[in-house]
């Protein structure tokens, strides 16, 4: 079946995207469990008018899964799902976006405009390089780079100040929904006003480049202070983590779940105040956990909400991800998942090590779910056993056993913070503008 119809995923409404996201989450979770889910069965769950969008998303998920397992997808495997011009165009668009390396497919056909003998480089894996100026911003230097994009120091020629620009890894051929995720990160951050969360000024565009303009935070990443040979003093660790817990309670109160808290995503501004600088995987919670409609930021959170979720369902940093997030259990991922990540940070500060010694184990939700968390006091005898038990509760594999909110976590840490400010080694390190990455 040939067609002149041009499939465009951006033509679908947010409600349509949410309905399709439901089947995509189910399909992706099954893939992660090692199952072979049926595209046809998932298509049957959505209205006929939404099948082109669902087919487009499911084909891409299936191709990505096969490539990750070193298998070769075949174009003909997807022809059986075509029953209209719209679904034909959806399949072709999905395959074209997946075949930046045409040799991934077992047949010899290359995507339109590509040479099978000279596959183009994957834009998402190539470094972000910029012109000397974007709009009114003069690029100074690259501060850091991660999987989703890079952060640059720049000078705002209009307001005469230095800022940070976050530029994602994509170009005109990139998945439109990745672009939506980027814009919704801006919406998530724009709804937040807290001195421990990096302020976002704007989301802007200059030609093919789209970018977030953020405050430039001068400080060291918390990762700098995670040292096995010299753990952070227990009281200082408690002060830092309690401050982050209070900031994250503010975030949760506004309907935002971070899902990627880690030592790299927090800077110590002036060597003292922690500032969370990356919300690239943030999402609004499910409708059952949504904030009241009149809560500050609730409207913005609702706008970016569920449509973000598929990109982060199995994303995040495994060492800090809760078992429910590693399992792709979307409905279970919520505020207590962020509590788990912050508990890992506390454990690292107290011991200089991660809670799980085995790297494979640390990334296996089923294995972690069968083990009791370690006690930090077993690795560092200077840690009060009561503080160690609080930390162990935060990283309990079961969400029901963790502190049920960031406020509860912060309250538990309070007795270990009274009368003590963060100082000593944290303030003695020379302050630098350091990398912050995705």
């Amino acid at each position: 079946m040939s067609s002149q119809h041009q499939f465009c995923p951006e033509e679908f409404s947010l409600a349509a995207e949410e309905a399709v996201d439901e089947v995509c989450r189910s399909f992706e979770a099954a893939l992660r469990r090692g199952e072979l889910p049926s595209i046809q069965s998932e298509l049957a769950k959505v209205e006929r008018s939404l099948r082109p969008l669902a087919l487009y998303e499911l084909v891409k998920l299936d191709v990505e899964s096969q490539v990750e397992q070193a298998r070769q997808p075949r174009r003909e495997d997807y022809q059986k799902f075509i029953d209209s011009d719209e679904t034909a165009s959806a399949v072709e668009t999905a395959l074209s976006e997946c075949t930046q390396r045409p040799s991934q497919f077992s047949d010899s056909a290359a995507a339109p405009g590509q040479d099978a003998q000279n596959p183009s480089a994957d834009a998402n894996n190539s470094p972000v390089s910029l012109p000397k100026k974007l709009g009114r911003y003069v690029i100074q230097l690259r501060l850091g780079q991660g999987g989703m994009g890079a952060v640059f120091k720049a000078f705002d020629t209009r307001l005469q100040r230095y800022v940070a620009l976050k530029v994602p890894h994509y170009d005109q051929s990139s998945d439109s929904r990745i672009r939506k995720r980027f814009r919704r990160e801006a919406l998530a951050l724009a709804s937040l006003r807290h001195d421990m969360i990096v302020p976002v000024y704007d989301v802007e565009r200059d030609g093919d480049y789209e970018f977030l303009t953020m405050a430039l935070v001068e400080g060291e990443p918390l990762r700098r202070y995670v040292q096995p040979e010299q753990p952070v003093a227990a009281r200082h660790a408690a002060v830092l983590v309690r401050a982050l817990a209070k900031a994250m309670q503010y975030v949760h109160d506004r309907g935002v779940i971070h899902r990627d808290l880690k030592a790299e995503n927090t800077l110590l501004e002036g060597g003292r105040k922690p500032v969370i600088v990356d919300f690239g995987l943030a999402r609004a919670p499910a409708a059952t956990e949504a904030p009241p409609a009149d809560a500050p930021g609730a409207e913005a959170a609702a706008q970016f909400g569920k449509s973000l979720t598929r990109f982060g369902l199995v994303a995040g940093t495994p060492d800090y991800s809760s078992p429910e997030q590693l399992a792709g259990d979307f409905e279970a991922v919520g505020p207590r998942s962020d509590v788990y990540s912050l508990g890992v940070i506390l454990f690292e500060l107290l011991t200089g090590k991660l809670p799980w010694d085995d790297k494979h184990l640390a990334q296996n939700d089923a294995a972690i779910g069968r083990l009791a968390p370690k006690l930090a006091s077993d690795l560092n005898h200077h840690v009060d056993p009561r503080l160690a038990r609080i930390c162990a509760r935060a990283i309990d594999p079961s969400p029901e056993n963790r502190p049920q909110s960031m406020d509860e976590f912060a309250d538990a840490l309070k007795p270990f913070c009274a009368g003590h400010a963060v100082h000593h080694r944290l303030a003695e390190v020379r302050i630098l503008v350091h990398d912050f990455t995705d």
Side-chain angles (χ1 to χ4, degrees), residues 9 20-21 24 27 52-62 94 175 177 310-311:
V20 169
D21 279 342
C24 287
F27 188 82
L53 179 60
L55 185 57
Y56 163 79
E57 296 292 347
L58 291 168
V59 168
K60 289 199 299 179
L61 283 173
D62 191 67
D175 189 334
R177 304 187 83 191
R310 190 177 66 79
F311 298 104

Side-chain angles (χ1 to χ4, degrees), residues 167-435:
V167 185
H169 289 316
Y170 61 53
D171 56 26
Q172 289 180 325
S173 66
S174 296
D175 189 334
S176 64
R177 304 187 83 191
I178 295 178
R179 292 178 179 269
K180 288 184 179 181
R181 168 187 165 179
F182 177 72
R183 294 175 190 132
R184 286 163 180 164
E185 178 188 357
L187 283 173
L189 278 168
S191 69
L192 306 176
R193 292 288 185 273
H194 193 282
D195 64 355
M196 292 185 187
I197 297 169
V198 63
V200 164
Y201 300 141
D202 206 350
V203 56
E204 304 183 50
R205 188 181 188 93
D206 183 6
D208 292 337
Y209 295 98
E210 194 165 17
F211 53 94
L212 281 179
T213 310
M214 306 179 292
L216 181 66
V217 179
E218 305 272 358
E220 294 277 3
L222 200 54
R223 164 63 56 201
R224 175 75 173 261
Y225 307 107
V226 176
Q227 300 177 13
E229 69 280 3
Q230 191 181 7
V232 174
R235 290 188 182 276
H236 305 154
V239 169
L240 277 172
V241 172
R242 183 170 185 269
L244 288 170
K246 299 297 285 186
M248 284 305 304
Q249 183 63 53
Y250 169 90
V251 171
H252 291 166
D253 286 345
R254 279 140 188 86
V256 178
I257 310 301
H258 192 288
R259 298 195 303 174
D260 198 27
L261 282 174
K262 54 186 177 182
E264 290 83 356
N265 282 349
T266 301
L267 300 185
L268 280 179
E269 187 176 31
R272 293 174 179 271
K273 184 179 73 174
V275 180
I276 303 169
V277 296
D278 193 331
F279 278 71
L281 295 183
R283 74 161 174 85
T288 55
E289 302 172 6
D294 58 350
E299 182 177 354
Q303 289 179 24
F304 80 91
K306 287 185 178 179
S307 295
L308 250 178
T309 56
R310 190 177 66 79
F311 298 104
L313 180 63
V314 294
T317 305
D319 287 338
Y320 295 85
S321 296
S322 64
E324 62 269 18
Q325 188 169 347
L326 289 171
D329 186 354
F330 168 77
E331 298 301 331
V333 174
R336 295 176 298 187
S337 305
D338 283 346
V339 168
Y340 180 96
S341 301
L342 190 54
V344 175
I345 292 175
L346 177 58
F347 190 95
E348 276 195 299
L349 291 173
L350 293 173
T351 68
K353 299 179 181 179
L354 289 163
W356 318 106
D357 293 329
D358 188 308
K359 190 70 173 178
H360 174 72
L361 175 63
Q363 300 181 17
N364 187 309
D365 61 284
I368 288 178
R370 294 192 296 267
L371 296 179
K374 289 181 180 178
L375 287 175
S377 54
D378 290 343
L379 300 180
N380 180 357
H381 69 274
H382 296 294
V383 176
D384 188 317
R386 295 170 299 170
L387 177 59
R389 286 193 291 271
I390 292 170
C391 182
R393 185 183 171 211
I395 57 175
D396 192 286
S398 172
E400 290 74 21
N401 294 336
R402 299 173 205 153
Q404 299 302 287
S405 70
M406 285 291 184
D407 266 348
E408 184 180 336
F409 193 11
D411 288 345
L413 293 172
K414 187 175 181 179
F416 304 95
C417 304
H420 290 264
V422 178
H423 58 285
H424 190 50
R425 183 162 56 90
L426 299 184
E428 293 172 0
V429 178
R430 182 165 59 93
I431 301 305
L432 303 171
V433 177
H434 203 82
D435 294 355

Side-chain angles (χ1 to χ4, degrees), residues 126-142:
S126 62
V128 173
S129 58
L130 296 182
K132 293 182 178 180
K133 189 175 182 181
L134 282 180
R136 69 182 199 245
Y137 304 99
V138 178
I139 307 301
Q140 302 284 315
L141 61 105
R142 183 179 306 188

